[in-house]
Amino acid sequence: MQGLALSATKPTTAVSTLLPINKFILVQSDALAFNHLPENSLTMGTRSLIFTLGLCCIASFASPTQIVLDTSLVEHQPFPRKLHGRFLHITDIHPDPLYEPGASQASACHHRPNLKDDRPAGYYGTPYSACDSPFRLTNFTLDFLDEHWASEIDFVIWTGDNARHDNDKDIPRSLDEIYDLNRAVAKKMDDVFLKKGIPVVPSLGNNDISPHNRLSAGPNNILEVFSSIWSTFIPPTSSASFHKGGYFSTEIVPDAVAAISLNTLYFYKKNHAVEGCKYADPKDPGNIHLDWLEEQLEGFRSRQMQVWLTGHVPPSEKGFFPECYYRFVELNLRFQDTILGNLYGHQNIDHFSFLDADDIDMSAETLPTGTLSSSTLFDTLIADFSEIPEPLEDVHYDKYAVVNVNAAIVPNPYIPSFRIFTYNTTGLSGFAKDIGSDPYLQMIKATQRQRALNHEPVHVLKKPKCERKKFRKTWRCQFDKPWHSDSQSPSRRNSLWSPLGFAQFYMPRLAEFNESHGPKFDLEYMTFPLSNLHPDEETQDNTTHQYVIPLRLLPEELRQPGAVESEYTPYELNDLTIPSWLDLATRLAKDKELRSRFKEFMYMGGVQK
């Protein structure tokens, strides 16, 4: 397979010698040529950087602007494009053009080691380190997804950080380098997915900008450049919002399911270029963003559509500015009947958490419990899970929303991983171009409209504290709109568009892979019960059964029915609705063995944060 590659002289430690990547010379090269170059033939000062991602392809040369699952895309394919009921979540790729196998980890895997006891950088990456992804790992991952998954999924959620960390003081990261690394990954995403008619939904990460973490109100130069880099992914109808704030929405299944790509940097505590959604500052970019989000959710709800919220930094009291967090929680709860879930990256730790109505309750009786600053994320989550009321039958499910945080491709500080979600498409004709007029979808929407007409608003928050002067002009004292929770909505009950589960794939033997021993991704675990992997015994209809994971991509032991237990299915969740997540959380709080597995999946054998 032919592709664009780049060649340039590798910079020395002098900062002034770092050539902007956009000065690299385009050459024709085999797309996997970088994998076959002997490292010892390239010196520190002259080693050629072969960027096989296809860097420096100007956006205007890429495929046409994305019209997600549009019939124009479908009709140009050999066969009508079928909905598979699956999607990919990939995050934190962090490709590094300076990565050098055999280099010292202390140098961010950029320079040769001086100490014999320093574990050198690996050929395809260095697990449990502070080093970023060599192009070999990035290329292999996206080529693996192209070969094994592109024909099995409906869309891609891609949640940011597509440049190396700025962790080498001898070779600082430049803004031009950040842009070009993002161009490279975007070009590869375009080739692997979008050109096959698979929508891609990107989000800005805190390492996709410079200075690190800092993004001022738009329009600005950074958002202007990214609007060009991602021009094929952002629909024309969302161009204005992206230029203004770096956020957009797109219909990943037309007239049925949308994804909203949030610019979480405007909510992020470490972004000192913004004020943090203060109630008295309506022009703060975080407030403008959340105003826009409210309008988007209102619009999608009025069309009986379902929405995934996606972004880079996950919402939490620790990570978000307080006022941004409170507004975000309230919107999630108010539109619980519309939001399918939240998908994020950034932390590189596989976990889930809840947005809870108690976080925005201003009753005099409600006091923040807090956690010790020295607590690990695992300890904090288990403490939170332990506070969920029981029995669950008495829980007010309208008080919760679910946040899923995915592990990263970069082996920093763990090992490469990606996630395949499955969602409910039962009853649909199955072809993308027909979804909008599908009779079953139209029936479901009519039912939703009727329920909305008969629906009584829920939850008027207690606000006695708002009588106090210091709280009056805060967001929690302004929440007075009714919540649209619905026990029959896809986030609460397994129905059309509900998330059913996911399979996590990872690369546990990364350190072993080299020139003669190629890498592979293995199944780490699944949330599904074993019984969901095959047709039930009564029907045994293999021709029409919708497999949650294609059999060829399962471990050998799971490809045949009959298994009664497996280490790959520790959670046994029938779906990923809010009640199912709360059930898992309470089991984790009580079951020591299950809690141990959860911790193992979070940290993948690495350091606990």
Side-chain angles (χ1 to χ4, degrees), residues 569-603:
T569 56
Y571 298 150
E572 298 273 322
L573 297 177
N574 286 317
D575 54 54
L576 298 184
T577 58
I578 293 168
S580 292
W581 281 117
L582 286 167
D583 172 69
L584 176 58
T586 56
R587 284 191 285 138
L588 288 169
K590 294 183 291 187
D591 187 327
K592 184 176 181 180
E593 184 177 346
L594 190 64
R595 191 161 63 243
S596 176
R597 294 298 306 279
F598 177 68
K599 188 175 186 179
E600 176 187 335
F601 297 143
M602 283 183 68
Y603 300 114

Side-chain angles (χ1 to χ4, degrees), residues 296 392 496:
Q296 294 293 305
L392 285 179
L496 183 62

Side-chain angles (χ1 to χ4, degrees), residues 27-277:
V27 296
Q28 278 295 107
S29 171
D30 185 88
L32 297 177
F34 191 46
N35 293 341
H36 303 299
L37 288 177
E39 295 294 336
N40 58 13
S41 68
L42 305 174
T43 65
M44 172 63 190
T46 62
R47 176 172 171 262
S48 176
L49 296 178
I50 307 299
F51 201 159
T52 61
L53 288 170
L55 194 56
C56 284
C57 282
I58 305 301
S60 60
F61 294 116
S63 64
T65 300
Q66 159 168 292
I67 306 175
V68 292
L69 292 181
D70 184 67
T71 54
S72 61
L73 290 172
V74 175
E75 289 166 359
H76 285 87
Q77 295 177 10
F79 302 99
R81 180 165 164 70
K82 183 181 179 182
L83 275 184
H84 297 89
R86 301 187 199 95
F87 68 89
L88 164 69
H89 182 196
I90 186 170
T91 193
D92 293 82
I93 298 174
H94 288 290
D96 186 353
L98 305 175
Y99 184 99
E100 185 171 349
S104 165
Q105 290 190 42
S107 70
C109 294
H110 293 167
H111 318 302
R112 293 291 181 181
N114 296 317
L115 301 175
K116 291 183 179 179
D117 60 349
D118 185 21
R119 184 166 61 95
Y123 191 73
Y124 279 95
T126 307
Y128 312 113
S129 73
C131 297
D132 287 326
S133 302
F135 292 149
R136 282 191 187 89
L137 175 61
T138 304
N139 282 321
F140 173 80
T141 298
L142 292 172
D143 289 340
F144 177 89
L145 292 169
D146 188 8
E147 180 180 354
H148 297 287
W149 282 106
S151 62
E152 302 288 352
I153 59 174
D154 302 325
F155 56 92
V156 176
I157 302 298
W158 169 33
T159 48
D161 270 10
N162 303 296
R164 68 179 175 100
H165 289 94
D166 195 13
N167 56 0
D168 186 342
K169 67 182 188 314
D170 294 324
I171 313 176
R173 187 180 60 178
S174 72
L175 189 54
D176 279 339
E177 180 186 347
I178 292 171
Y179 289 154
D180 285 314
L181 287 167
N182 270 277
R183 285 190 185 97
V185 184
K187 176 62 171 63
K188 190 76 172 180
M189 288 284 187
D190 187 279
D191 289 341
V192 172
F193 301 112
L194 191 58
K195 286 180 178 175
K196 298 179 178 69
I198 301 168
V200 176
V201 185
S203 301
L204 275 176
N206 63 313
N207 280 288
D208 296 324
I209 59 175
S210 184
H212 179 230
N213 295 329
R214 188 179 179 90
L215 184 68
S216 59
N220 57 48
N221 289 337
I222 289 176
L223 298 180
E224 182 67 28
V225 172
F226 272 96
S227 70
S228 172
I229 294 172
W230 291 346
S231 62
T232 59
F233 307 128
I234 302 171
T237 53
S238 287
S239 177
S241 67
F242 192 86
H243 276 86
K244 184 176 183 178
Y247 39 83
F248 69 97
S249 65
T250 183
E251 295 186 25
I252 43 184
V253 181
D255 204 31
V257 181
I260 296 180
S261 174
L262 303 168
N263 181 359
T264 55
L265 300 178
Y266 286 154
F267 314 142
Y268 189 32
K269 274 184 181 177
K270 293 184 179 180
N271 182 6
H272 302 303
V274 296
E275 294 298 320
C277 306

